[in-house]
C-alpha cells in the first residue's frame, strides 16, 4: 500500500484508483479497514520538526570569533584579578547573547502553522454511511464529500463533480478558482493544471464533489512543502558573513600582536606578570568591544524605523540584508497584483468601454474613447452588464466600508462592474425575479438563468465561454438596441486581442421567451440567443507596483516574477508593471514556463535564472530551485510571497518577505519580514532603510577601529621600547566603552547619504571596509599613536607625574575620536552637506562625552579608580589641537578623493 501513495493519481482512470486503494467509489471503506489503516498510516497531520533546546540555543550565541576573543579577555583579566575589566567585558558579551537568544527564540513556526492549516472537519462515506469526522482521522482510500465552503482535508482524486470550483491560489498561485472535472489527465500534467485532483488546505468556492483520499499528512502536496521548509537552509546574511570574516582576521591579528608583546617583554627582561598585563592591555585595546552591541542596537533601530514604514522585521539581520539585495523574486498573485478580479473592458455593439478602479470596491468610471460616459445612455452596455449581474450566484457585501465577497471571484467582478455603472441588484431582481437556474457545468461551459419579465413573458440570461455562447447565438444586440448580424470572426479577433493582454474573457447573451415558462433546460438555450457582448477581466497590478519596480531597477536591483499562474497572464502583468525594461526584446529570454523549467539541469537553470524575468506555472520545488540558482551566482535574493507555496522559497532566500493582510500564516512564519500593508512599494522603503543601516554600520566600524588599532600600537611601541605603558588596561576599557556608547552609537541616527537609492547594490563579495576606508583607518590610527605617545612623552619631559601623562594620553584618544566622529558622519562628503545640526543625538553625545572627560580628569574618585590626575591648560591646548589636526587631515583626504573622482567622471 505504501508504494501506491507515490503514483501519478491524475493519470489513472477512476476505477483503477479505487481498485489500487482497495476502496469503493460509492460506499467508501469499511470500519475495520479504517482502523487498520489508521494504525498503519498514522494521523492525517504534519510531522513537526523538533526545536532546539533553549540552553543550546543560548550557548550558540557565544559561537562567534569576536565573542571568543572577548571571552578570552574576560578569563585573563579575571585570573589577574582585574575585576572591573573582567566584569565590563563579560557584561558586553552577556548583553549580546541575551539579545541574540530573544530573537532566535522567535524562530520559524512555519511547520506549526501548516499543521494548524490542516485541522478541521471532513465529511466522509464509510461503510455506505455519510458522517462527519475530524480531518486528522482520514486515511488513504476514504471517500470524502466536498461542498462550497469546505477546506479540502487531504489530497483527493476526484470521482464525481458538479460545478465544482476550488481556490488553490495559496498552493499554486492561480488567481482564479479552478473548475474541477474527474476525467483522466496526461501523466506530465503540472500540478496547477490537474483539474481531477483536490489538494489539502485548498478551499471549495462553488459546487459539490466526491473524491477518494490518495495521500494524507506528510504525503500530501502541502506535506511536501512542509519538508521543503524544513530542509531549506537558513543562510547567513551578508552582514553576518562579512563580520564573521572580519572577526576571523581580527582574531589572528590580535593573537599575533599579543604574542609579539610577550616576546618583546621577555627579550627586555621584564617581569612575566607585567608583560602579561601588557599583552592583556593590547588585546583589550585592539578588540572593538562595542562592535557587537553597536551592531545589534543599530539594527534594532532600523527595525523600529521600518515598522513605522509598514515593514515588520522578524529577524534583525534582515534589515541590513535588504540593503544588499541584488535580486527581488516576487510572487504575482496578491503581491504585485490585487488578488481581486476586476473587469477592465466591456465590448458590446461596435464599441469597447474601459472601466477604471481596481478590486472589489464598486467605485470607478466608464470611459469610451478616453471620455467618461453615462452607462444609461448606452443601452447595449447596460444590457450586457445587466446579464452579468442577474446571471450570478455570488455576493458583494459592504462590511462597514470593507468590501467582502461571497462566492466566485469572477462573478463578483461582474457585480462590481455593474455597480460602477449604477445598476442596482435589488432593483433589477425585483423587476426581473429569477424563476430557474441552469447551473454551470464544465461540459457545457455556460450558466443560464430564467427571469420573469411580466405579462406572460420571460427572459433568459446566459454567461460562459466565448465559444459556448457564440455557438448558441443567431444575432447581436446593437448599440441602438436594434438586432443586427452576428460577426463571429470579428468577435474572435477582439477576444484574441484581449487574451494577448492577459485578460480573461466571458461572453453574454439573452433570449426573450414569449410563452410562460417555469424552468429552463439545455434545449431552451441550444440556439436562438442574442449576443450581448464581452466582459474582459484580470487580477490587476497594484497601482503602486509600477513605481516601486521602477525605483528598485533604478537602484540596480533586478526584479523577477515567479508565479504559479498562466504564462500569458503573468507576462501581461509583468509588462504592465515595467518588467520588460530589464531585458532585451527577445521574447524567449523574457518568460519561461514551469513545464520547460522541469527539464533543465542545475547548470542550465543557473543560466536561465539569470536571463529570464518571468517564471510562470512553477511548482514550489521550482521556486526553491530558482532562488538557489540565483544564489549560486552570488546574488543576495529577496523573495516575496503570500501563499503556502511560497514558504520554502521564502525560507531559502536571503530575505523572505510575506504579505501581512492577504498572506497565509505559513508564509508569514517562513518570512524574515512582513509587510503590514501588503504593498510592494513598502519594499522600496525597506531597501532604502536597509542601505542606510549598512552605511551607519560602516561609519561606526570606520570610526571605532582607529581607536582600537591606535591603542594596540601604543602598547606595542611601549613594550618594544621598554618604557612604561602610556595607557593602562582599565583606562583603555574606559575609552572603548564610553566613546562607543556616547559617540559611536549616535551615528545610528545619521541622516541618509544623498542619492542612496541611485547607486547599485553592494556586491556580495565586497568587504565591509574598502581600500579607501582601510587607508583612512590606518591614517587616523597613526595620528592617534603619534598624538597619544607624543603627548605622553612630552608631559613626562615637563616634569609631570606618570598619572598626569597617562591622563593626557587618554584624553588625546577620546578627543581625537570626538573630532574624527564629525568626519565619519559621511564617508564621502563633509558634515556641512548633511547639516551640522541634522543629527541632534550626535551633538548631545559630544557634549556629554566632553563633560564626562572633565569629570574623569578632575574627580578624586575617578583619579583613584582609573589612576588619573588633573591636567593644566597647556595640556588641554595640545589635546584639542591634536583632535583638530585629525579632523583637518581626514577632511582634506576626503576632499582630494572627491576632486579626483569628479575629474575622472569628466
Amino acid at each position: 500500500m505504501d508504494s501506491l501513495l507515490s503514483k501519478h493519481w491524475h493519470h489513472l482512470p477512476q476505477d483503477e484508483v479505487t481498485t489500487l486503494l482497495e476502496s469503493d467509489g460509492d460506499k467508501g471503506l469499511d470500519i475495520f479497514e479504517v482502523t487498520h489503516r489508521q494504525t498503519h498510516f498514522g494521523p492525517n497531520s504534519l510531522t513537526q520538526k523538533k526545536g532546539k533546546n533553549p540552553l543550546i540555543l543560548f550557548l550558540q550565541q557565544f559561537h562567534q570569533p569576536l565573542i571568543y576573543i572577548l571571552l578570552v579577555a574576560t578569563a585573563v583579566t579575571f585570573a589577574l584579578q582585574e575585576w572591573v575589566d573582567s566584569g565590563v567585558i563579560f557584561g558586553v558579551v552577556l548583553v549580546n547573547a541575551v539579545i541574540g537568544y530573544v530573537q532566535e527564540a522567535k524562530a520559524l513556526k512555519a511547520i506549526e502553522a501548516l499543521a494548524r492549516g490542516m485541522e478541521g472537519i471532513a465529511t466522509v462515506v464509510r461503510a455506505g454511511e455519510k458522517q462527519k469526522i475530524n480531518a486528522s482521522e482520514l486515511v488513504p482510500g476514504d471517500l470524502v464529500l466536498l461542498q462550497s465552503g469546505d477546506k479540502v482535508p487531504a489530497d483527493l482524486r476526484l470521482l464525481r463533480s458538479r460545478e465544482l470550483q476550488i481556490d488553490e491560489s495559496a498552493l499554486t498561485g492561480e488567481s482564479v478558482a479552478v473548475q474541477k472535472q474527474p476525467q483522466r489527465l496526461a501523466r506530465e500534467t503540472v500540478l496547477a493544471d490537474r483539474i481531477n485532483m483536490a489538494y489539502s488546505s485548498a478551499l471549495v468556492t462553488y459546487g459539490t464533489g466526491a473524491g477518494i483520499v490518495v495521500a494524507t499528512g506528510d504525503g500530501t502536496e502541502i506535506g511536501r512543502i512542509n519538508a521543503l521548509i524544513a530542509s531549506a537552509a537558513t543562510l547567513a546574511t551578508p552582514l553576518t558573513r562579512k563580520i564573521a570574516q572580519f572577526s576571523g582576521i581580527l582574531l589572528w591579528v590580535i593573537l599575533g600582536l599579543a604574542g609579539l608583546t610577550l616576546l618583546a617583554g621577555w627579550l627586555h627582561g621584564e617581569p612575566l606578570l607585567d608583560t602579561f598585563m601588557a599583552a592583556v592591555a593590547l588585546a583589550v585595546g585592539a578588540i572593538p568591544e562595542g562592535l557587537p552591541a553597536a551592531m545589534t542596537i543599530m539594527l534594532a533601530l532600523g527595525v523600529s524605523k521600518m515598522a513605522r514604514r509598514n515593514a515588520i522585521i522578524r529577524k534583525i539581520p534582515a534589515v541590513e540584508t535588504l540593503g544588499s539585495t541584488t535580486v527581488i523574486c516576487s510572487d504575482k498573485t496578491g503581491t504585485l497584483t490585487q488578488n481581486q478580479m476586476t473587469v477592465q473592458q466591456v465590448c458590446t455593439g461596435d464599441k469597447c468601454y474601459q472601466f477604471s478602479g481596481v478590486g472589489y470596491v464598486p467605485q470607478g468610471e466608464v470611459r469610451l474613447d478616453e471620455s467618461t460616459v453615462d452607462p444609461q445612455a448606452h443601452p447595449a452596455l447596460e444590457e450586457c452588464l445587466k446579464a452579468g449581474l442577474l446571471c450570478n450566484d455570488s455576493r458583494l457585501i459592504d462590511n462597514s466600508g470593507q468590501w467582502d465577497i461571497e462566492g466566485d471571484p469572477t462573478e463578483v467582478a461582474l457585480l462590481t462592474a455593474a455597480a460602477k455603472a449604477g445598476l442596482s441588484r435589488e432593483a433589477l431582481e425585483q423587476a426581473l425575479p429569477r424563476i430557474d437556474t441552469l447551473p454551470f457545468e464544465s461540459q457545457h461551459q455556460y450558466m443560464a438563468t430564467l427571469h420573469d419579465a411580466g405579462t406572460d413573458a420571460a427572459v433568459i440570461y446566459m454567461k460562459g465561454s466565448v465559444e459556448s455562447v457564440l455557438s448558441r447565438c443567431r444575432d447581436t444586440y446593437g448599440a441602438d438596441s436594434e438586432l443586427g448580424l452576428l460577426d463571429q470572426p470579428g468577435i474572435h479577433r477582439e477576444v484574441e486581442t484581449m487574451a494577448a493582454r492577459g485578460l480573461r474573457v466571458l461572453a453574454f447573451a439573452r433570449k426573450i421567451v414569449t410563452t410562460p415558462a417555469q424552468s429552463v433546460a439545455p434545449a431552451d438555450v441550444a440556439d436562438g440567443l442574442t449576443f450581448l457582448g464581452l466582459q474582459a477581466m484580470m487580477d490587476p497590478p497594484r497601482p503602486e507596483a509600477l513605481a516601486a519596480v521602477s525605483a528598485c531597477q533604478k537602484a540596480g536591483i533586478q526584479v523577477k516574477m515567479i508565479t504559479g499562474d498562466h504564462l500569458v497572464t503573468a507576462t501581461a502583468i509583468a509588462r504592465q508593471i515595467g518588467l520588460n525594461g530589464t531585458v532585451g526584446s527577445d521574447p524567449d529570454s523574457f518568460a519561461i514556463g514551469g513545464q520547460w523549467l522541469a527539464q533543465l539541469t542545475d547548470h542550465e537553470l543557473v543560466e536561465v535564472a539569470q536571463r529570464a524575468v518571468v517564471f510562470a506555472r512553477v511548482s514550489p520545488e521550482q521556486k526553491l530551485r530558482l532562488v538557489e540558482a540565483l544564489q549560486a551566482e552570488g546574488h543576495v535574493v529577496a523573495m516575496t510571497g503570500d501563499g503556502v507555496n511560497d514558504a520554502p522559497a521564502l525560507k531559502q532566500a536571503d530575505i523572505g518577505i510575506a504579505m501581512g493582510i492577504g498572506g497565509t500564516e505559513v508564509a508569514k512564519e517562513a518570512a524574515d519580514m512582513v509587510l503590514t500593508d501588503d504593498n510592494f512599494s513598502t519594499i522600496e522603503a525597506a531597501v532604502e532603510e536597509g542601505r542606510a543601516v549598512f552605511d551607519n554600520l560602516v561609519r561606526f566600524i570606520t570610526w571605532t577601529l582607529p581607536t582600537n588599532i591606535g591603542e594596540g600600537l601604543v602598547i606595542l611601541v611601549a613594550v618594544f621600547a621598554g618604557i612604561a605603558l602610556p595607557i593602562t588596561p582599565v583606562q583603555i576599557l574606559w575609552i572603548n566603552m564610553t566613546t562607543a556608547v556616547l559617540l559611536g552609537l549616535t551615528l545610528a541616527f545619521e541622516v541618509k547619504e544623498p542619492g542612496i537609492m541611485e547607486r547599485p547594490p553592494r556586491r556580495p563579495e565586497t568587504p565591509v571596509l574598502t581600500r579607501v576606508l582601510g587607508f583612512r583607518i590606518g591614517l587616523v590610527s597613526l595620528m592617534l599613536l603619534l598624538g597619544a605617545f607624543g603627548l605622553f612623552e612630552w608631559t613626562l619631559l615637563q616634569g609631570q607625574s606618570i598619572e598626569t601623562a597617562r591622563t593626557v594620553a587618554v584624553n588625546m584618544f577620546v578627543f581625537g575620536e570626538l573630532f574624527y566622529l564629525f568626519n565619519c558622519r559621511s564617508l564621502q562628503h563633509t558634515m556641512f552637506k548633511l547639516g551640522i545640526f541634522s543629527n541632534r543625538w550626535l551633538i548631545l553625545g559630544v557634549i556629554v562625552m566632553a563633560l564626562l572627560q572633565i569629570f574623569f580628569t578632575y574627580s578624586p574618585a575617578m583619579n583613584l579608580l582609573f589612576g588619573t590626575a588633573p591636567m593644566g591648560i597647556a595640556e588641554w591646548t595640545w589635546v584639542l589641537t591634536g583632535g583638530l589636526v585629525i579632523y583637518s587631515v581626514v577632511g582634506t583626504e576626503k576632499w582630494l578623493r572627491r576632486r579626483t573622482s569628479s575629474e575622472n567622471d569628466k
Side-chain angles (χ1 to χ4, degrees), residues 211-497:
I212 193 164
V213 175
V214 296
T216 59
D218 293 334
T220 62
E221 286 297 322
I222 202 171
R224 290 194 308 107
I225 292 176
N226 173 49
L228 289 174
I229 296 173
S231 63
T234 302
L235 300 181
T237 69
L239 179 67
T240 54
R241 288 196 293 264
K242 290 167 187 171
I243 293 297
Q245 292 170 356
F246 171 73
S247 300
I249 295 170
L250 187 62
L251 171 65
W252 292 110
V253 169
I254 290 172
L255 291 176
L257 290 176
L260 280 175
T261 303
L262 286 171
L263 178 63
W266 178 71
L267 291 174
H268 280 93
E270 296 287 339
L272 183 61
L273 183 60
D274 291 348
T275 305
F276 209 63
M277 279 303 296
V280 170
L282 185 143
V284 171
I287 294 170
E289 293 95 343
L291 181 57
M295 276 179 53
T296 303
I297 292 170
M298 285 186 172
L299 290 171
L301 287 172
V303 168
S304 177
K305 289 178 183 178
M306 295 172 85
R308 291 196 292 271
R309 302 184 76 167
N310 299 314
I312 303 299
I313 302 297
R314 297 186 66 249
K315 301 168 190 174
I316 280 187
V319 178
E320 178 274 332
T321 311
L322 273 167
S324 304
T325 298
T326 59
V327 179
I328 296 177
C329 295
S330 176
D331 183 44
K332 178 187 74 68
T333 306
T335 306
L336 291 169
T337 67
Q338 300 276 339
N339 200 16
Q340 297 180 348
M341 294 299 291
T342 306
V343 172
Q344 297 195 335
Q345 186 174 17
V346 178
C347 292
T348 182
D350 56 354
K351 297 181 175 65
C352 284
Y353 302 85
Q354 307 299 323
F355 281 65
S356 67
V358 294
Y360 300 133
V361 179
Q363 296 173 358
E365 295 180 340
V366 181
R367 297 191 181 97
L368 179 62
D369 299 327
E370 302 302 323
S371 299
T372 303
V373 299
D374 179 7
Q376 294 182 356
H378 298 261
L381 169 64
E382 196 171 38
E383 193 65 19
C384 184
L385 293 172
K386 188 189 296 182
L389 189 150
L390 292 173
C391 187
N392 199 312
D393 285 331
S394 296
R395 289 284 182 271
L396 181 61
I397 304 164
D398 183 1
N399 187 8
S400 301
Q402 178 73 37
W403 292 91
D404 298 328
I405 72 168
E406 187 179 282
D408 180 65
T410 300
E411 288 195 328
V412 176
L414 302 177
L415 297 178
T416 304
K420 290 176 183 178
L423 297 181
S424 168
R425 183 168 191 168
E426 292 74 14
L428 283 174
E429 288 181 340
Q430 280 187 347
L432 297 167
R434 187 187 295 191
I435 301 171
D436 193 25
T437 302
L438 199 59
F440 181 92
E441 292 188 4
S442 52
Q443 63 267 34
H444 295 143
Q445 291 292 308
Y446 68 77
M447 172 184 176
T449 53
L450 174 66
H451 299 266
D452 183 0
T455 61
D456 294 331
V459 59
I460 298 172
Y461 284 111
M462 172 185 284
K463 75 167 186 286
S465 68
V466 176
E467 295 79 7
S468 178
V469 173
L470 274 182
S471 66
R472 291 167 168 79
C473 294
R474 67 182 178 191
D475 50 29
T476 186
Y477 193 85
D480 54 0
S481 302
E482 296 292 331
L483 300 182
L485 294 175
L486 185 64
D487 179 15
Q488 288 206 27
I491 293 171
H492 281 295
R493 283 194 299 272
E494 188 65 48
V495 170
E496 289 172 4
T497 302

Side-chain angles (χ1 to χ4, degrees), residues 734 807 810-811 814-815 846-860 862-863 868-871 876 880:
W734 166 266
T807 306
V810 169
N811 277 300
V814 171
F815 282 91
V846 166
I847 294 171
V848 173
M849 188 70 243
L851 293 174
L852 201 58
Q853 278 307 113
I854 293 173
F855 180 69
F856 174 84
T857 304
Y858 295 105
S859 168
M862 299 295 281
N863 294 158
T868 57
M871 290 165 44
W876 277 114
L880 295 176

